């Protein structure tokens, strides 16, 4: 009887059930909406200020605002923490 209960206790101790798994990490909602991960491991985003009030902006400025912006070194490290599973 004692031996049987010891086997059951040992089996529970080494169980691979969902209880032993780490919790999932949450992605930052604001970063999810603004950034997209690319294959090289960095992130890209659209520049702000190109949607309205464009009459008084020069064509060169509007062209610059329409370009894609990429994350640099320190931003990339922080974004990988905010978006642990990348972004769609």
């Amino acid at each position: 009887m004692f031996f049987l209960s010891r086997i059951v206790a040992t089996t529970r101790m080494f169980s691979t059930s969902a209880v032993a798994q780490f919790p999932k990490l949450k992605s930052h909602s604001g970063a999810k909406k603004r950034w997209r991960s690319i294959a090289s491991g960095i992130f890209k985003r659209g520049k702000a200020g190109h949607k309205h009030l464009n009459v008084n902006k020069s064509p060169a400025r509007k062209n610059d605002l329409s370009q894609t912006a990429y994350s640099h070194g320190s931003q990339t490290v922080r974004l990988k923490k905010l978006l642990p599973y990348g972004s769609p």
Side-chain angles (χ1 to χ4, degrees), residues 67-87:
Q67 300 299 314
T68 303
Y70 296 94
S71 62
H72 53 80
S74 61
Q75 275 182 326
T76 304
V77 172
R78 179 167 285 177
L79 285 166
K80 284 185 180 180
K81 290 178 184 177
L82 291 174
L83 300 168
Y85 306 108
S87 62

Side-chain angles (χ1 to χ4, degrees), residues 50-66:
H50 189 61
K51 296 290 184 187
H52 62 97
L53 300 175
N54 292 320
V55 175
N56 56 357
K57 294 174 187 168
S58 69
R61 184 175 170 195
K62 287 189 277 190
N63 284 337
D64 183 54
L65 289 173
S66 69

Side-chain angles (χ1 to χ4, degrees), residues 5-53:
S5 64
R6 188 168 176 93
I7 291 174
V8 172
T10 308
T11 306
R12 282 193 210 132
M13 205 164 54
F14 296 108
S15 176
T16 58
S17 67
V19 177
Q21 293 179 353
F22 290 105
K24 293 180 181 178
L25 299 173
K26 289 193 174 184
S27 297
H28 191 276
S29 297
K32 249 192 316 197
K33 295 169 189 173
R34 291 169 175 84
W35 294 92
R36 297 282 176 262
S37 57
I38 57 176
S40 63
I42 62 173
F43 295 83
K44 69 176 185 175
R45 65 172 173 85
K47 291 187 178 179
H50 189 61
K51 296 290 184 187
H52 62 97
L53 300 175

